[in-house]
Amino acid sequence: DAMVIQNPRYQVTQFGKPVTLSCSQTLNHNVMYWYQQKSSQAPKLLFHYYDKDFNNEADTPDNFQSRRPNTSFCFLDIRSPGLGDAAMYLCATSRNLVFDEAFFGQGTRLTVV
Amino acid sequence: AQSVTQLGSHVSVSEGALVLLRCNYSSSVPPYLFWYVQYPNQGLQLLLKYTSAATLVKGINGFEAEFKKSETSFHLTKPSAHMSDAAEYFCAVTTNTGNQFYFGTGTSLTVIP
């Protein structure tokens, strides 16, 4: 059974139109991460939540926001998507912040038209 | 700060041949090291991890990796490649005081029939 579920798997959005990607987990993990992965590149951490504590990476654009209403769900909001935001977005969870294995969802591939 | 370097962005092997994917790390404190595999349009799946126990780590699908502190390496090997091993492989590092995984740029493995 899938433990980290991302919806939708594929998302097409218009330039400048807000879009929300969702992630849910059944692992009851404390930490949820959002990574951006562009073609042929390594995943790049955007931000993470430790429980309700939000931690934004210094170079994450303001255009990207996140919400975690409860332990199970986390959302990635892109306020005004640009063509450069087209990428695979990966959600991951881990029990704790450090050295634990991270469990990844299957990703959402975002296309901006 | 921690980082990993994956030598060789593309590796091709014949079916049945040895697979060797290279990863070197940089860390000022003892590292925890991971190998993940990513199939097209999928999330990342953990192959194996080193967290300061045995230096030779066995993972899923017949893969193993050896932590060599003197060489700051954590190379991934498999004695005999299968067609199903064709995928992107990422090495990642964190530490017991870190708050994220740092990924390498990935190695794309092609298996030739």
Side-chain angles (χ1 to χ4, degrees):
Chain A
D1 289 338
M3 296 176 287
V4 182
I5 302 167
Q6 291 187 243
N7 284 304
R9 291 290 314 281
Y10 302 90
Q11 175 74 57
V12 180
T13 191
Q14 290 180 329
F15 182 94
K17 184 176 180 180
V19 64
T20 295
L21 310 182
S22 74
C23 177
S24 63
Q25 57 139 334
T26 59
L27 297 164
N28 204 34
H29 281 173
N30 291 315
V31 191
M32 295 188 78
Y33 306 85
W34 278 105
Y35 283 87
Q36 179 193 62
Q37 186 183 23
K38 295 189 175 180
S39 182
S40 302
Q41 296 184 21
K44 177 181 179 297
L45 184 66
L46 295 173
F47 24 60
H48 73 270
Y49 274 95
Y50 182 87
D51 195 12
K52 296 180 180 179
D53 292 334
F54 177 71
N55 294 272
N56 199 33
E57 292 302 299
D59 56 354
T60 298
D62 293 339
N63 199 24
F64 291 84
Q65 304 286 322
S66 185
R67 296 170 283 135
R68 189 179 185 185
N70 53 51
T71 300
S72 301
F73 286 87
C74 194
F75 300 98
L76 170 61
D77 301 309
I78 308 177
R79 291 191 298 187
S80 181
L83 297 178
D85 296 327
M88 174 77 91
Y89 289 88
L90 297 168
C91 175
T93 73
S94 65
R95 243 190 323 269
N96 293 300
L97 272 175
V98 297
F99 72 81
D100 268 341
E101 170 186 349
F103 291 79
F104 283 81
Q106 291 192 304
T108 295
R109 180 164 294 284
L110 178 69
T111 300
V112 181
V113 298
Chain B
Q2 298 81 42
S3 66
V4 290
T5 301
Q6 292 183 242
L7 297 175
S9 58
H10 297 277
V11 170
S12 293
V13 300
S14 297
E15 190 174 15
L18 172 71
V19 176
L20 170 61
L21 305 183
R22 299 177 186 275
C23 173
N24 288 90
Y25 69 90
S26 173
S27 178
S28 55
V29 297
Y32 295 104
L33 294 157
F34 303 78
W35 275 101
Y36 282 86
V37 61
Q38 185 178 34
Y39 298 100
N41 290 313
Q42 299 288 323
L44 277 68
Q45 179 184 7
L46 182 71
L47 279 176
L48 48 77
K49 62 181 177 182
Y50 166 78
T51 55
S52 75
T55 56
L56 180 62
V57 181
K58 295 187 184 298
I60 63 170
N61 301 339
F63 284 94
E64 63 182 36
E66 186 171 9
F67 173 72
K68 292 187 177 180
K69 184 178 179 181
S70 61
E71 299 177 8
T72 61
S73 69
F74 190 58
H75 301 330
L76 182 70
T77 61
K78 182 174 180 178
S80 176
H82 294 164
M83 296 298 295
S84 60
D85 295 328
E88 189 84 16
Y89 291 80
F90 291 96
C91 183
V93 64
T94 187
T95 70
N96 64 357
T97 57
N99 63 359
Q100 65 165 294
F101 296 86
Y102 294 89
F103 286 91
T105 51
T107 297
S108 176
L109 177 66
T110 300
V111 181
I112 303 166

